[in-house]
Structures are given as structure tokens and as C-alpha cells.
């Protein structure tokens, strides 16, 4: 049952990512470069997974899907990269960032000793979607305060 649930979760997550990537591709103009920036996670890079057995592998699959898309689409002037965030405040992490003790404990695992900020994630996305991302494709870019070191 646990394996079936994990496999189903993985399939749903990957279907959503691949459909989103294909939809983004059709929005471009023929001059390019165009950009597909997918959202992965450091959970797809690190084994420190907090027993979220479908989340980490699904994010690793997003990373691999992006590499496959990058190779296939580069000749069409489409660059594909992944932003792989570490800890940022979200609904998924509210049980940690709303509890000062849990937050302090979690930050012990991050070399920068803090979580990421919204403006830091935004700056990376803007860079990838502009001139800064023009010569980048097939990259998995951790934004994690050093967590994956």
C-alpha cells in the first residue's frame, strides 16, 4: 500500500510538471531564447528527507525530466533549468516556521543558519528568465543556504 501510494503521488507530480513545461513551450516567439524554469527541491538532491518518501524522489524525477527537456529543446532555443529551493516559508513548512523551537532546530542543519527569503527566490527566477539565463540549460540550481554542501 505504501509503495502504491508513493508511486501514485510520483506520477501525479510528474504529470503536472511535464504538462506545465509543454504549455510554457508553446507561448514563445520564434526568435528565442525561451525559458522553462521548473521548481524542484533540495529534497531531490539530498538524502535528508524527513521520511517524505515520495517527495524527494518526485523532485529528483523533476530534475531528470528537466535535463531530458534541456537536451531535446536546446536546438529550438529553449533553455530548461530547475530552481531547487531548500527551506522557505510556505504552507508545507508552516508546522516548522510557526514554532520557534522547531525553527531553531531546523536552522542547525543549514550552514547559513536561516531560511531563505521570498526576494532571494524571486531574484534567482528573474535572473534565469533574462540575460543571466541565456547561456544556461540543464542546470539544477540549489538555493538553500548551503544545505546541500
Amino acid at each position: 500500500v505504501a509503495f502504491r501510494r508513493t508511486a501514485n503521488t510520483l506520477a501525479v507530480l510528474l504529470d503536472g510538471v511535464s504538462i506545465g513545461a509543454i504549455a510554457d513551450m508553446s507561448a514563445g516567439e520564434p526568435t528565442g531564447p525561451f525559458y522553462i524554469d521548473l521548481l524542484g527541491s533540495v529534497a531531490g538532491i539530498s538524502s535528508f528527507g524527513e521520511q517524505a518518501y515520495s517527495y524527494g524522489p518526485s523532485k529528483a524525477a523533476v530534475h531528470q525530466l528537466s535535463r531530458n527537456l534541456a537536451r531535446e529543446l536546446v536546438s529550438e532555443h529553449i533553455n530548461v533549468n530547475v530552481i531547487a529551493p531548500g527551506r522557505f516559508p510556505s504552507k508545507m513548512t508552516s508546522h516548522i516556521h510557526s514554532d520557534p523551537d522547531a525553527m531553531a532546530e531546523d536552522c542547525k542543519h543549514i550552514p547559513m543558519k536561516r531560511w531563505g527569503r521570498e526576494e532571494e527566490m524571486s531574484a534567482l527566477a528573474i535572473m534565469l528568465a533574462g540575460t543571466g539565463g541565456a547561456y544556461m540549460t540543464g542546470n539544477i540550481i540549489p538555493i538553500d543556504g548551503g544545505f546541500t554542501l
Side-chain angles (χ1 to χ4, degrees):
V1 173
F3 176 77
R4 190 173 317 129
R5 187 175 308 126
T6 298
N8 287 341
T9 301
L10 181 60
V12 168
L13 290 169
L14 286 178
D15 284 347
V17 168
S18 54
I19 290 167
I22 291 166
D24 286 349
M25 287 187 291
S26 66
E29 305 228 347
T31 55
F34 307 105
Y35 305 96
I36 299 174
D37 296 322
L38 302 174
L39 191 61
S41 171
V42 295
I45 300 169
S46 170
S47 63
F48 191 77
E50 302 173 330
Q51 298 179 335
Y53 298 113
S54 58
Y55 186 76
S58 73
K59 293 303 183 176
V62 169
H63 300 172
Q64 187 59 30
L65 172 65
S66 73
R67 289 183 190 104
N68 292 340
L69 287 171
R71 182 172 296 281
E72 291 292 322
L73 299 175
V74 70
S75 63
E76 302 295 324
H77 308 286
I78 300 172
N79 298 354
V80 182
N81 293 291
V82 173
I83 297 172
R87 292 289 203 208
F88 281 78
S90 69
K91 287 181 184 178
M92 188 174 83
T93 60
S94 64
H95 65 286
I96 299 170
H97 67 81
S98 63
D99 178 345
D101 292 335
M103 186 72 165
E105 183 62 31
D106 196 70
C107 287
K108 289 178 183 178
H109 302 286
I110 304 169
M112 293 182 91
K113 303 296 182 207
R114 67 174 181 85
W115 281 21
R117 299 181 186 112
E118 184 178 319
E119 60 271 16
E120 293 163 335
M121 179 86 72
S122 299
L124 177 57
I126 290 167
M127 185 278 299
L128 283 173
T131 305
Y135 195 59
M136 294 179 69
T137 195
N139 295 287
I140 313 305
I141 306 158
I143 179 167
D144 65 359
F147 179 79
T148 52
L149 292 175

